Amino acid sequence: MLNSVGRRLRRNVVAAAGNSRMASDILLPAARFPRMTKTILSISHDHILLETRGAILRKTGHRVISVSSLEDFVTSLRESEIDLVILGHSVPAAEREQAYRLLQEHDCQCPVIELYATAAPPKSPAHFHLAVHDRTTQSDLLALVQQVLSSTPN
């Protein structure tokens, strides 16, 4: 049944577009990122970057929980099955350490990406690091998230 609904939707898009070339152009953006909905927990003290990061990741089909405090971080760990954690560069070192302790306490084995703004990555138990210097783009984050999530078991 789901396949027939999908075929009908595709036919409707083709009909609305007027020809198959335009329809494929309409359908292409969704195909660029495979649908593998995962839950990403993102923590940052920079609210604008937190919301921007969340919006970018949601566009690729992920469920994103954006939090700005450790209290909300631990609540999210309790209430959701987390597939990936992103620690924003604005989270102080002491809070990062506490976040790692909370992950252990809640037996969360998911990978962690740490964003940093210094010349070298911080010494931490993070699985992956990404510099947020002026040369880093949103596609760098998307590529890293895609790599991390595709290499972790479901």
Side-chain angles (χ1 to χ4, degrees):
M1 181 175 151
L2 187 57
N3 286 338
S4 66
V5 171
R7 279 191 295 261
R8 261 186 284 142
L9 178 61
R10 185 176 293 265
R11 274 194 305 255
N12 291 341
V13 169
V14 170
N19 66 43
S20 61
R21 179 182 164 106
M22 287 178 68
S24 66
D25 291 342
I26 292 170
L27 298 174
L28 182 62
R32 227 179 267 162
F33 297 100
R35 285 281 177 203
M36 50 180 226
T37 302
K38 301 283 187 162
T39 301
I40 301 171
L41 177 55
S42 178
I43 182 170
S44 177
H45 289 296
D46 185 323
H47 295 283
I48 293 172
L49 286 177
L50 184 65
E51 290 308 312
T52 302
R53 185 178 309 124
I56 290 167
L57 293 167
R58 281 184 199 95
K59 277 194 145 194
T60 62
H62 299 295
R63 177 176 177 246
V64 181
I65 303 170
S66 299
V67 299
S68 58
S69 69
L70 286 174
E71 292 80 20
D72 292 337
F73 184 84
V74 75
T75 299
S76 298
L77 288 175
R78 277 192 215 117
E79 294 176 354
S80 301
E81 188 172 323
I82 305 299
D83 298 300
L84 173 67
V85 170
I86 299 177
L87 297 175
H89 75 281
S90 63
V91 177
E95 285 186 34
R96 287 174 187 246
E97 290 174 20
Q98 193 170 356
Y100 284 111
R101 281 194 299 274
L102 290 167
L103 288 168
Q104 285 180 335
E105 287 173 13
H106 289 85
D107 198 30
C108 184
Q109 303 293 319
C110 71
V112 176
I113 295 175
E114 269 195 50
L115 306 179
Y116 66 97
T118 58
K123 290 183 167 73
S124 73
H127 298 93
F128 303 91
H129 292 95
L130 181 65
V132 290
H133 297 163
D134 54 351
R135 287 172 279 169
T136 301
T137 64
Q138 72 182 26
S139 60
D140 295 330
L141 177 62
L142 291 176
L144 181 58
V145 166
Q146 183 72 21
Q147 173 195 344
V148 171
L149 291 177
S150 65
S151 66
T152 57
N154 290 336

